[in-house]
């Protein structure tokens, strides 16, 4: 339901549904992915980092989104840490 609400442009309602999904089954990676994406688009980078970290903990490395989120997470961490010397955190 949260994904459908996101597609409809109802971000606040989508966030609430995704958080409910996490409470019901915290082992699912999808709600964390979408919460991270939502936070990322809203420039709430600390929230995006947290959600993306949780996604990576739960998702299979074969998930098509895994590598992209790992790279985006490194970008967000570097931005947060003010890294400007070209050194990247790719954990």
């Amino acid at each position: 339901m949260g994904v459908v609400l996101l597609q409809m442009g109802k971000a606040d309602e989508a966030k609430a549904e995704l958080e409910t999904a996490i409470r019901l089954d915290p082992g699912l990676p999808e709600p964390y992915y979408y919460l991270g994406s939502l936070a990322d688009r809203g420039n709430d980078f600390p929230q995006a980092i947290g959600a993306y970290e949780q996604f990576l903990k739960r998702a299979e490395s074969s998930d098509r989104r895994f590598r992209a989120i790992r790279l985006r997470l490194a970008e967000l961490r570097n931005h947060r840490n003010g890294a400007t010397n070209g050194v990247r955190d790719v954990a």
Side-chain angles (χ1 to χ4, degrees), residues 2 5 11 15-17 23 25 34 36 48 53 61-62 67 72 74-76 78 82 85 91:
L5 290 167
K15 183 178 178 186
E17 288 294 324
R23 280 192 300 277
D25 190 348
Y34 289 107
E53 286 172 343
S61 61
S62 60
R67 187 174 192 282
R72 180 60 183 147
E75 290 172 353
L76 291 172
N78 287 333
N85 61 2

Side-chain angles (χ1 to χ4, degrees), residues 14-32:
K15 183 178 178 186
E17 288 294 324
L18 293 165
E19 289 170 345
T20 297
I22 289 170
R23 280 192 300 277
L24 293 173
D25 190 348
L28 291 174
E30 284 76 18
Y32 293 102

Side-chain angles (χ1 to χ4, degrees), residues 15 18-19 22 26 28-40 44-59 69-70 73 76-77 80:
K15 183 178 178 186
L18 293 165
E19 289 170 345
I22 289 170
L28 291 174
E30 284 76 18
Y32 293 102
Y33 171 80
Y34 289 107
L35 279 175
S37 297
L38 185 61
D40 202 350
D44 184 352
F45 301 131
Q47 187 72 29
I49 288 169
Y52 287 154
E53 286 172 343
Q54 294 304 314
F55 168 77
L56 292 176
K57 286 181 183 178
R58 290 160 175 80
I69 293 303
R70 198 171 134 229
L73 184 55
L76 291 172
R77 286 176 176 153
R80 176 189 64 193

